Amino acid sequence: MAHILKLLALVFVFSTMAADISGVWKHADKPAWLNVNMQTGVVTVQRHDNAPGAVGLTVIKDLSASPPIWSGKMYAAEQGDYVAVSLELKDDQTLIVVDADAVEILRLTRP
């Protein structure tokens, strides 16, 4: 039994290491799509039906990988600056962004 648990743990580690959050994600609450680019370390607005002028804006910068959690800095309009955030892949279709207090501030899904 212990060997099976070790094997399952090993499979989980390798599967999370292979996880890739690059690509387009849809905002869970708004008609907006964000592009995660791990090569440049930025998340930008690809499309926003309610605010077309937002296209191209950087939402998260300094994105670095350490699956299953990524870290970066997200623009916080109320502070007028970027704040530290973590991105967590909940499953292969759901990515959440949490603040320093581990409070979910953004939920994205694969379109």
Side-chain angles (χ1 to χ4, degrees):
M1 181 68 169
H3 293 294
I4 293 173
L5 291 176
K6 287 179 184 177
L7 181 61
L8 288 173
L10 188 59
V11 168
F12 176 77
V13 167
F14 281 111
S15 68
T16 57
M17 287 175 60
D20 184 12
I21 62 170
S22 295
V24 177
W25 293 84
K26 183 177 180 318
H27 193 294
D29 301 321
K30 298 179 182 178
W33 290 259
L34 303 179
N35 184 43
V36 177
N37 186 328
M38 289 305 301
Q39 290 184 335
T40 60
V42 297
V43 177
T44 56
V45 178
Q46 177 174 318
R47 175 180 159 194
H48 196 311
D49 292 351
N50 292 347
V55 172
L57 293 178
T58 298
V59 178
I60 299 174
K61 66 179 185 176
D62 301 336
L63 192 57
S64 62
S66 185
I69 298 175
W70 292 259
S71 60
K73 296 177 183 172
M74 183 174 184
Y75 186 73
E78 62 279 356
Q79 296 178 4
D81 200 2
Y82 286 84
V83 297
V85 294
S86 296
L87 292 81
E88 301 176 15
L89 197 57
K90 286 301 195 185
D91 56 49
D92 63 343
Q93 298 296 312
T94 309
L95 181 66
I96 63 167
V97 179
V98 297
D99 65 13
D101 296 321
V103 174
E104 182 177 318
I105 54 177
L106 178 61
R107 180 173 290 260
L108 303 169
T109 58
R110 291 269 187 201

